[in-house]
Amino acid sequence: MGASLSRRTEGTNRTEMTPGLGDIPEGCLACVFMNLTPPEICNLARLNRAFRGAASSDSIWVKKLPTNYQDLLNLLPPERYQNMSKKDIFALLSRPVPFDDGYKEVWLDRVTGRVCMAISAKGMAITGIDDRRYWNRVATEESRFHIVAYLLQIWWFEVDGVVKFPLPADVYTLSFRIHLGRFSKRLGRRVSSFEHTHGWDIKPVRFELSTTDGQLASCECYLDDMEQDYENRNHKRGCWIEYKVGEFIVSNSETATEVRFSMKQIDCTHSKGGLCVDSVFIIPTDLIDCKRRGILK
């Protein structure tokens, strides 16, 4: 279909003076593009010169960028974005932008232009993390930060973190990404070991978040379920699970929002182990819902 449209728009048959897509004024195309997503605009830009010109207009792409896109650019060296068009800035910010020594990343969702964030395990305070009797750092391609914290065994389990950033006005969901068991590759296949996995079915882990303007959220969850494990090959083991901590609202994007979060199981009557802590995600809530329903990819 795209090829046939392209031929019509370029007017290969000059004897027929019928208008084609190439005759649509760029101003009209720009009005249409305002209501399309960035991937849709880029696809249409391949049709002909008129579409390409309209699809490169700064007036279109500045509407696709969040109001605080300059805050994201400020995390990069100025030479990375100087003299860039708004379209190229959108493409640049759609890739992860690291900050705080590379332990945190912020980026734009490619479809909606909404701001998303991730915090590495190395960017959090983990009780006993420097004692190799309790924790190990494990390099892996399964983490966007290429390293996770693996718990061998501990009695006092606590992971705390904080992030301060001028997030745009929106409703956000904060979640922890964790994995029961240690994973590796053997003969090209992914395998999981649960040698150290214990204690997570005895007491729940408590997740909490708080913001500087007084918003609070918390929940408790058993990370392991031995009854389900025996009957149904417990789906909680051997795969990454994102545990939702809660939601918070940003109404003022002029000032930086500080969010504190934690997961803990500090009942010292039993030990626990065999857990990988990867990262924390802060994602617009309805963006998560749309992706779960398959509306966004």
Side-chain angles (χ1 to χ4, degrees), residues 151 154-159 176 178 180 198-208 218-224 236 243-245 262-267 270 272-273 275 277:
L151 174 64
I154 207 165
W155 294 81
W156 185 289
F157 174 79
E158 185 170 5
V159 180
F176 274 85
I178 32 189
L180 272 182
H198 68 283
W200 304 109
D201 58 324
I202 300 175
K203 293 287 180 66
V205 168
R206 183 169 182 82
F207 297 93
E208 296 180 337
S218 64
C219 65
E220 291 188 344
C221 181
Y222 287 89
L223 302 188
D224 206 359
K236 290 186 177 181
Y243 287 88
K244 177 180 175 179
V245 180
S262 66
M263 61 178 294
K264 58 186 71 173
Q265 213 285 43
I266 57 179
D267 186 329
H270 68 283
K272 38 264 175 189
L275 177 77
V277 179

Side-chain angles (χ1 to χ4, degrees), residues 60-104:
I60 292 174
W61 287 96
V62 75
K63 297 293 185 181
K64 306 302 178 183
L65 289 164
T67 55
N68 73 325
Y69 76 91
Q70 187 62 50
D71 292 316
L72 279 67
L73 288 176
N74 290 340
L75 300 173
L76 296 168
E79 58 270 16
R80 287 280 305 276
Y81 58 85
Q82 281 180 345
N83 302 319
M84 267 191 172
S85 68
K86 294 297 188 290
K87 178 183 177 181
D88 289 337
I89 287 176
F90 186 96
L92 175 67
L93 297 181
S94 294
R95 298 187 288 271
V97 178
F99 65 105
D100 284 2
D101 298 322
Y103 298 152
K104 300 169 186 175

